[in-house]
Amino acid sequence: MIDNAEVRTRIAPSPTGLFHFGSARTALFNWLFAKKHDGRFILRIEDTDRERSTEEYELDAEGALSWLGLGWDEGPETPDLYGPYRQSERLPIYERFAKKMVEDGFAYYCYCTQEELDKERKELEEKKLPPKYSGRCRNLSKEDADKCKAEGRKPAIRFKVPENKTIKWKDLIHGPMEFDSNLIGDFVIVKPNGDPIFLISNIVDDAEMKISHVVRGDDHLANTPKQLMLADAMNLPVPEYGHLPMILNPDRTKMSKRKNPTSITHDFRDEGYLPEAVINFMAFLGWTPARSASSTADAGGPKINKEFFTLDELVGEFDFSQVGKSPAVFDVEKLNFYNGYYIRQMELGELAKRCLPYMEKASLVKKEDEKLLDVIGLVQERMKKLSEAPALTEFFFKKPEYDAELLIAKKSTKEITLKALEESYKVLTEEVDFTRDSIEQLLRAMAENIGVSAGEVLWPIRVALSGKAASPGTFELISFFGKNETLERIKTAIDMLNSK
Ligand code: GLU
Ligand code: ZN
C-alpha cells in the first residue's frame, strides 16, 4: 500500500536541449501519480553538464510543463523546502558525499588519462571482451599517487563496485529486476574537473529531496543498479523505481526529430496542438485504462471504452500497474485525431482567439473581428491544428488559385460543368435571398430543371469559391460570400473553363 502522505515524485530534466515529448510523458505520469496520492510533484534542473546546459533550455522545460498544465509544487523558483532545486547550486553537497565515499573506502581517486583508458578499452574490444575499467587505480600506492599528482594529473573519483553482488529491485513497471555487479566496472562519479556525474548527483538529490518514487525512461535502466550501489555506500534511503517503455517512431526506431514532432514548445505548442489533446494522446502511450475493453486487468468489470480524458479524469484513472512494458509507438495521425476532437469541442470565440496569431502571421487578418469568427466557424470541423487555420481560410480573404481541371467533378465533363456554372450564375443573379437554405432550394431545383445531378452543380461552384477539393459546403460558402463575390468567382471559373 502506498502511504499517501509520503508520495513525492519529480521530473528532472537536463537543460541541454529542447524539452522533449518523451520527458513530457515521464512528467505526466509522475504528476498524475503524485496528484492521485495527494503527494507533491517536484521540478529539479539537472544542469551539472556545464558546457551543454543553458538557461534557455531550462526556461523551455518550464514553459513546456506549464503549457501542458503540469505545474510543480517545488522547483527552482519556489521557496526552498529541500532545495535548491538546481543542481549547479548544489555542487558542495555532491562533493561532500563523494569525498566521504573515498574516506570510507567505497571510492578512490583514478589518475588514468583518457588515452590510457581508450587504449585499455581497445584491447578489450580486440579480445571481444565487454568494455570495463580494469580497476587499475583501486590500490594505487601513496608513492604512485604522489607521482601522478606531481605530473600534474587531475584525478577523477571512481566508485569501487563490490564484487559478486546481485543488485535487486522491484520495478514499478518491469517487476523484479536483477543485475550482477561483476558485469559493471568501477565507474566515475566525479570528473577530473570536479563536476559530479549524473549517477551520484541524481541519487543524492532524490534522497535529499525525499523523493519516494523515481519514474523515468527505460534508457535509465542500466543506471539504476549503479545508483542502488551508490545509495548503499552512502547510506541513503532508496526510492521505488519504475522505468517507462520507450516511445518509437512508426518504423520502430527510437523516436526522433526527423520522423516525429519532438519539442513540446516548438513542435506541439507553436504548431497549434492543444495541451488537452497532447495530454490525452500522451497518456495512452504506455498506459491502458483498467476498465477499457482492451484491458485484461478487469475483464469481468464494466467495459468502458473511454477515449477522451481530462487531466482530472486521468488522475482518477491512472496507475502504474496499467503501464505496459513494451515500447509505445508515436502515431501522428492519432495525435491529429485527438487535436481535431478538442478543436471541435472548443467554443468558437476561444478557437478564433487561438487561431489569431497564425492568421496575423500569414497577414490574413489584423485583429479579432466578426469575419475571423465566421471563417473559423466554417472550418472548425476540418481543422486538425491551429497552424492550419491560414491555409484552410486563405480563400475567404483572397481570390483562390487553382487548376481549371479541378472544377470538373468526378465522372462529369467540361460541357456539363460549364452548363452547370452558367445556369447557376443566371439563377443567382436573379436571386435576392442569400441565406443558406434558400440557396440550397434554388440550386437543387435548378439542377433538376437542367437535368444534371446535384453533385455536378455543387462541386464546381464550391471549387469556384474555394479553389479546393475539400472545403466547407457550397451553400455555406455562397451565403458567406454573398451575391457579388459569389458571382465574380463563378464568372472567373467559367472563363477559366472556356479558355481551357
Ligand atoms: N536528467 C535525467 C534525464 O533527463 C533524469 C533522469 C531521472 O529521471 O532520473 O534523463
Ligand atoms: Zn585509473
Side-chain angles (χ1 to χ4, degrees):
M1 238 346 245
I2 292 152
D3 179 352
N4 277 351
E6 280 175 4
V7 170
R8 290 174 59 83
T9 64
R10 57 19 171 219
I11 184 74
S14 305
T16 55
L18 292 169
F19 194 69
H20 190 278
F21 179 84
S23 307
R25 185 198 52 167
T26 301
L28 171 64
F29 287 9
N30 278 289
W31 188 94
L32 291 173
F33 187 71
K35 298 295 149 191
K36 175 158 187 157
H37 296 283
D38 292 323
R40 288 170 83 81
F41 176 67
I42 289 115
L43 169 63
R44 181 171 77 227
I45 303 296
E46 301 210 323
D47 58 349
T48 50
D49 184 341
R50 278 187 279 174
E51 277 105 68
R52 293 172 56 226
S53 298
T54 70
E55 195 193 338
E56 181 201 335
Y57 290 138
E58 179 180 326
L59 291 173
D60 183 71
E62 296 180 352
L65 291 169
S66 303
W67 178 73
L68 288 167
L70 306 176
W72 49 98
D73 303 298
E74 292 162 40
E77 312 307 331
T78 63
D80 278 6
L81 198 56
Y82 301 108
Y85 297 91
R86 205 179 273 117
Q87 290 192 326
S88 56
E89 294 165 25
R90 304 174 61 81
L91 297 174
I93 302 176
Y94 316 128
E95 191 185 316
R96 201 178 71 227
F97 274 100
K99 291 244 162 85
K100 176 92 172 30
M101 276 199 280
V102 175
E103 278 160 27
D104 295 348
F106 291 114
Y108 57 91
Y109 291 105
C110 165
Y111 290 90
C112 297
T113 61
Q114 197 52 52
E115 293 76 57
E116 286 166 345
L117 295 170
D118 288 346
K119 188 161 159 262
E120 202 180 286
R121 176 182 293 246
K122 237 200 187 136
E123 281 166 12
L124 287 173
E125 246 168 50
E126 274 158 21
K127 290 185 203 149
K128 300 241 177 323
L129 291 168
K132 184 179 157 185
Y133 175 64
S134 65
R136 182 158 31 145
C137 298
R138 256 192 190 213
N139 303 307
L140 215 56
S141 64
K142 174 133 184 3
E143 292 74 49
D144 285 340
D146 285 345
K147 219 168 97 198
C148 288
K149 269 189 237 169
E151 285 173 24
R153 294 191 185 204
K154 288 241 174 322
I157 300 180
R158 267 185 202 273
F159 180 68
K160 208 183 271 180
V161 173
E163 279 161 35
N164 306 321
K165 264 191 97 165
T166 309
I167 303 127
K168 294 185 189 176
W169 79 93
K170 194 162 174 296
D171 197 276
L172 290 165
I173 289 149
H174 292 263
M177 298 291 289
E178 265 190 39
F179 273 82
D180 173 1
S181 73
N182 293 334
L183 299 176
I184 303 170
D186 293 353
F187 53 88
V188 172
I189 48 178
V190 179
K191 289 196 243 174
N193 70 1
D195 285 351
I197 293 288
F198 153 82
L199 291 168
I200 181 168
S201 50
N202 180 269
I203 183 113
V204 163
D205 283 352
D206 284 336
E208 297 257 302
M209 297 177 187
K210 308 214 181 311
I211 301 301
S212 60
H213 297 75
V214 168
V215 175
R216 55 189 180 182
D218 265 355
D219 50 336
H220 285 291
L221 260 179
N223 291 329
T224 303
K226 293 180 181 172
Q227 295 190 299
L228 290 174
M229 293 189 285
L230 287 175
D232 202 31
M234 294 184 282
N235 211 2
L236 294 176
V238 171
E240 301 267 347
Y241 279 96
H243 293 84
L244 298 172
M246 293 279 92
I247 303 173
L248 305 177
N249 295 313
D251 62 6
R252 301 197 78 78
T253 53
K254 192 167 171 242
M255 187 178 169
S256 65
K257 205 156 67 185
R258 218 157 34 83
K259 299 187 178 153
N260 264 316
T262 52
S263 152
I264 293 293
T265 54
H266 290 206
D267 304 332
F268 292 87
R269 184 191 65 194
D270 297 350
E271 273 305 305
Y273 285 105
L274 304 178
E276 302 89 311
V278 178
I279 289 282
N280 204 148
F281 170 72
M282 209 167 297
F284 278 98
L285 288 177
W287 172 73
T288 320
R291 286 174 294 160
S292 87
S294 57
S295 163
T296 49
D298 191 9
K303 298 229 185 297
I304 297 178
N305 239 337
K306 193 167 155 61
E307 191 160 23
F308 300 104
F309 289 86
T310 62
L311 258 180
D312 277 349
E313 289 170 335
L314 284 171
V315 170
E317 294 285 327
F318 183 81
D319 197 80
F320 284 120
S321 62
Q322 302 138 15
V323 175
K325 288 181 227 177
S326 38
V329 175
F330 187 110
D331 175 2
V332 80
E333 291 305 323
K334 191 90 196 274
L335 170 65
N336 290 341
F337 161 77
Y338 279 115
N339 211 54
Y341 171 83
Y342 285 100
I343 284 179
R344 289 192 297 280
Q345 297 296 306
M346 197 175 275
E347 194 258 314
L348 181 56
E350 177 63 24
L351 180 61
K353 193 175 286 157
R354 297 218 205 177
C355 290
L356 185 62
Y358 300 93
M359 301 293 283
E360 285 173 330
K361 199 158 164 238
S363 306
L364 292 177
V365 295
K366 292 205 183 64
K367 59 176 181 9
E368 207 185 324
D369 58 10
E370 262 319 277
K371 184 164 181 192
L372 178 69
L373 216 65
D374 287 348
V375 301
I376 296 295
L378 284 169
V379 298
Q380 183 167 13
E381 271 299 302
R382 21 178 20 95
M383 198 188 296
K384 294 281 190 289
K385 297 190 262 180
L386 304 179
S387 58
E388 292 170 355
L392 286 172
T393 60
E394 200 184 7
F395 70 87
F396 287 113
F397 301 92
K398 306 178 186 166
K399 300 266 187 269
E401 276 174 38
Y402 56 94
D403 186 350
E405 195 65 38
L406 189 60
L407 289 162
I408 305 169
K410 252 194 220 124
K411 293 192 191 135
S412 190
T413 64
K414 178 177 162 182
E415 287 66 36
I416 294 177
T417 307
L418 261 176
K419 188 168 165 200
L421 285 172
E422 279 161 357
E423 284 301 318
S424 307
Y425 191 89
K426 237 184 264 165
V427 294
L428 287 168
T429 308
E430 286 151 19
E431 180 62 37
V432 280
D433 183 2
F434 266 66
T435 56
R436 189 207 170 282
D437 292 350
S438 77
I439 292 293
E440 172 160 15
Q441 273 178 22
L442 180 78
L443 291 180
R444 287 198 189 280
M446 182 276 280
E448 218 175 293
N449 278 343
I450 62 168
V452 168
S453 74
E456 283 176 304
V457 172
L458 303 182
W459 173 274
I461 301 180
R462 211 177 46 68
V463 173
L465 295 178
S466 69
K468 288 179 187 303
S471 80
T474 310
F475 312 123
E476 284 74 14
L477 291 183
I478 294 179
S479 79
F480 173 84
F481 281 117
K483 189 162 181 170
N484 288 345
E485 187 66 24
T486 300
L487 290 176
E488 231 176 82
R489 291 191 184 200
I490 293 179
K491 179 76 175 55
T492 307
I494 293 171
D495 292 347
M496 277 169 73
L497 263 188
N498 272 328
S499 59
K500 197 173 107 68

